[in-house]
Amino acid sequence: MEHAAIGPYRVLDRLGAGGMGEVFLAVDTRLDRKVALKYLSDPALDAPRERDRLLREARAAAQITHPNIAAIYDILDAGPHPCIVMEYAVGEPLSQVAARGPLLPAQVVAIGLQLADALAHAHAAGVIHRDLKPANIVLTPSGTVKVLDFGLARVFDVEPDASAAEAPTREALPTQSRLAGTPAYMAPEQLAGQPASTLSDIYGVGATMYELLTGRRPFNGPTVPDIVYQVLSQPTPLASAANPSVPPALDAVVARAMSRDLGARYQSAAHLAEALHVVAGSATASRPADSTGHALGLAAAAGPTTPWYSRSWATWAALVVALAIGVVAGFGIWSRRSIPPAAYQFVAVLPFTDASGNATPDPAAVGFSESVLTALEGLSSVTVLSKADAATHISGSTDVRKSARELGVTMIVTGQAQVIGDRLRFLIGVEQPDGRLVSARTYVGTSAELSTLQARAVQQVVAALNVSLTPADRERLTRVPACRVDAYADYSTGRAL
């Protein structure tokens, strides 16, 4: 098709092909600008219903204007095959970037922030990508991320062949179901047959960041059924297991974005962006000495640094006064000096054990640990290791602390429960993976006081984690759910079973 014309667009070159057709570089002869033409030649689009659906979603995506989303300029539907005219993003697909090896953590954080911002904007407009992956994301020479094909992922009749696992915007399953996406990057709920949602896009960001951090896909296999089985059955992989240089805080964010549990995953792209901003502001996200030519350093975001010798006399005076006050106050509180709040904690809540030594814990112990875990999951500066990962990597380990350190966990919450008639006794401990005990406290009460005991325990655990709380976090922690004692007992028994 080189030098051919499609409407007012003159084709210059062929850029590539995917599951839905071919992509060409063209020039808009009216505006004299280069564009990308996505020529949708897939025979399945001959079906009027499929064609109408895709064009309807393309028109919705065309309303989106965002610096990190490749714009849709035009939709040509006059010929035998529709053609989407898109912004021509000059750069390199992230799939090629990752193929050269892992990026520095700070680079991945910068990319993740741009992706999260793009998703937040698109989701607010009611548009879901459904096929977010490194091959659909271009990195420009200036370090700007451009997401391609927003809203253009089409539903395919799946085929059980391995080649489809590599095809863009295509998937294969042995069940002849109909899905949209690429299996290696699809969220578990999509592979299970549920419709894609905003949370599916968040999973795609997590999978993309994992690949950039490790140089490999989170799940891989010789056939599509192998990949699907891994996604649906294996624990969420940790990037640090493939690349030990990944900081624990970033490791936790990626794992949470890829959580198989929809409730544990970030509930919005904005929440994911908040978590990445915390990582970007922490010492764990080291600033890059970038040798790839990408302008992805985070130093610019912090603004220019003032040399120490150019500070004003007023600044030095303030520093001297503050130092003097600190020295005087320090003598008074030396024995109980405070520690600055942690910017972030990655917490493992282990199943509470029975203090009586029973192999099967009492349902009250299960319910208590569940309440602590649930409360922590909602805090902005805390990521909780999923129950599946805790059971697989920590609970069954002969050295729990070593396993926690290998996963990047920064705090471990443990507990013991003892039930004697209507009296309940819980011992809750918080410790660091190196074995240092941070807090230990006992709570005693009756079954009717259970919710109050749980609320007190959560407050104690949060205080031990020493994280900064937002107003929303504090308001959340004050809410104590009211429930009937017998109903809660039934719930706890169900969780134990």
Side-chain angles (χ1 to χ4, degrees), residues 88-396:
Y88 175 50
V90 180
E92 186 178 21
L94 288 184
S95 54
Q96 295 181 14
V97 175
R100 294 197 295 270
L103 295 183
L104 293 171
Q107 294 174 310
V108 178
V109 169
I111 291 173
L113 280 169
Q114 294 181 69
L115 292 176
D117 193 45
L119 285 186
H121 185 80
H123 292 170
V127 179
I128 300 172
H129 193 289
R130 290 201 303 254
D131 193 25
L132 199 64
K133 59 189 178 185
N136 279 342
I137 304 166
V138 169
L139 185 66
T140 71
S142 65
T144 301
V145 167
K146 288 284 186 180
V147 182
L148 311 180
D149 291 352
F150 237 108
L152 299 184
R154 198 182 65 75
V155 178
F156 281 88
D157 288 313
V158 298
E159 305 165 1
D161 58 56
S163 62
E166 301 293 334
T169 323
R170 195 174 184 92
E171 73 295 321
L173 289 175
T175 56
Q176 293 300 309
S177 59
R178 291 167 65 80
L179 301 168
T182 306
Y185 304 97
M186 290 171 69
E189 66 272 13
Q190 286 179 276
L191 294 176
Q194 298 178 27
S197 68
T198 57
L199 299 186
S200 307
D201 281 352
I202 290 172
Y203 180 95
V205 175
T208 297
M209 293 177 67
Y210 179 98
E211 186 163 333
L212 294 175
L213 286 168
T214 64
R216 65 179 71 172
R217 292 177 173 181
F219 298 101
N220 214 342
T223 65
V224 170
D226 289 330
I227 296 173
V228 174
Y229 175 78
Q230 292 176 36
V231 175
L232 294 179
S233 64
Q234 293 188 2
T236 303
L238 293 172
S240 60
N243 180 4
S245 67
V246 176
L250 180 56
D251 203 24
V253 170
V254 173
R256 183 172 177 182
M258 292 179 59
S259 174
R260 192 160 58 237
D261 182 357
L262 281 171
R265 203 177 300 167
Y266 291 107
Q267 296 302 292
S268 71
H271 290 156
L272 172 58
E274 290 174 4
L276 288 171
H277 276 299
V278 171
V279 175
S282 69
T284 55
S286 58
R287 302 192 177 186
D290 193 357
S291 59
T292 64
H294 302 325
L296 292 174
L298 300 179
T305 305
T306 304
W308 68 270
Y309 51 79
S310 66
R311 290 177 180 152
S312 67
W313 284 108
T315 301
W316 280 111
L319 288 173
V320 171
V321 171
L323 180 61
I325 294 174
V327 170
V328 173
F331 280 103
I333 60 171
W334 178 258
S335 61
R336 50 188 178 89
R337 57 191 180 275
S338 62
I339 301 173
Y344 188 86
Q345 295 285 15
F346 184 20
V347 183
V349 180
L350 303 187
F352 289 6
T353 59
D354 194 310
S356 303
N358 297 326
T360 303
D362 188 277
V366 177
F368 208 100
S369 61
E370 287 274 340
S371 68
V372 173
L373 185 147
T374 302
L376 296 180
E377 280 182 336
L379 300 181
S380 57
S381 298
V382 176
T383 291
V384 181
L385 186 70
S386 72
K387 287 177 285 187
D389 290 340
T392 302
H393 297 294
I394 295 183
S395 298

Side-chain angles (χ1 to χ4, degrees), residues 22 52 250 408 482:
E22 297 178 286
D52 290 346
L250 180 56

